[in-house]
Amino acid sequence: MFQQHKGKRSKKVRNIVERGAVKKFAEAIGDLHPIFVDEETGRNSRYNRNIAPPTFPRVFDYGTIEGLNLPNKGLIHGEQTYHYERPLLVGEEIICYSEVKNYFEKKGTHGEMGFLVLESFGEDEMGKVVFTSTQTVIITEAVRKVLIGW
């Protein structure tokens, strides 16, 4: 169903690791560690400023992969992993984009299910990768039927 999208990438999008957004995110996940929210702790850290929680890139804009039209409802967030070269620093600009890495299908108890694997990237202003993220989106039989117009 999505085989033709393998290798397609979104255009790069600029994002800011904004202090207020980091604080709200830390509050939402229930982790108000001082390295995320306290400016003095950040200044006194080895990074000389605050950093973002590891799952913060979830809020970034990664652009749109042309032709990859997924519905807003009915998808299952199967898995997501992050790999960091270094922490995200509050105030820095991160350039993000995503790529379709794989698509495969499996027969389940409720019909055929699709597994869409997306890899996302965050780079600094010099083009050096700061983090990568791999996400698996599960597309149920019901959603697949809607997508193919049954």
Side-chain angles (χ1 to χ4, degrees), residues 8 15 25 28 31 57 61 64 78 80 86 91 110 145:
K8 284 188 177 180
N15 292 269
F25 188 86
D31 188 354
D61 181 356
T64 302
Q80 187 154 12
R86 66 164 175 80
H110 299 289
K145 286 181 178 177

Side-chain angles (χ1 to χ4, degrees), residues 5-149:
H5 295 292
K6 280 187 191 178
K8 284 188 177 180
R9 280 189 175 181
S10 64
K11 291 184 179 163
K12 294 182 177 185
V13 178
R14 295 183 182 282
N15 292 269
I16 301 292
V17 184
E18 198 273 321
R19 177 174 302 286
V22 169
K23 183 177 182 195
K24 285 181 184 176
F25 188 86
E27 289 170 350
I29 64 171
D31 188 354
L32 291 170
H33 191 286
I35 194 65
F36 303 143
V37 297
D38 182 68
E39 289 186 54
E40 184 177 340
T41 299
R43 275 192 304 276
N44 293 327
S45 75
R46 64 181 164 159
Y47 308 109
N48 298 315
R49 56 179 148 167
N50 296 101
I51 61 173
T55 54
F56 185 76
R58 187 77 181 114
V59 304
F60 286 155
D61 181 356
Y62 293 89
T64 302
I65 298 173
E66 194 174 318
L68 184 65
N69 301 315
L70 296 172
N72 293 328
K73 297 192 282 184
L75 301 174
I76 299 170
H77 185 133
E79 176 182 35
Q80 187 154 12
T81 58
Y82 294 91
H83 172 77
Y84 280 88
E85 297 300 322
R86 66 164 175 80
L88 291 169
L89 306 173
V90 168
E92 79 175 317
E93 183 177 83
I94 298 292
I95 295 98
C96 299
Y97 59 96
S98 290
E99 179 180 335
V100 177
K101 292 305 273 186
N102 198 8
Y103 178 76
F104 57 94
E105 296 174 346
K106 288 185 178 179
K107 191 89 168 149
T109 55
H110 299 289
E112 198 80 26
M113 296 184 355
F115 294 82
L116 182 66
V117 181
L118 300 169
E119 188 168 18
S120 299
F121 302 84
E123 300 175 346
D124 64 16
E125 294 178 52
M126 305 301 281
K128 187 170 180 174
V129 173
V130 176
F131 73 89
T132 59
S133 171
T134 303
Q135 174 184 6
T136 303
V137 178
I138 302 170
I139 304 163
T140 63
E141 177 72 16
V143 172
R144 285 169 38 88
K145 286 181 178 177
V146 169
L147 289 173
I148 60 176

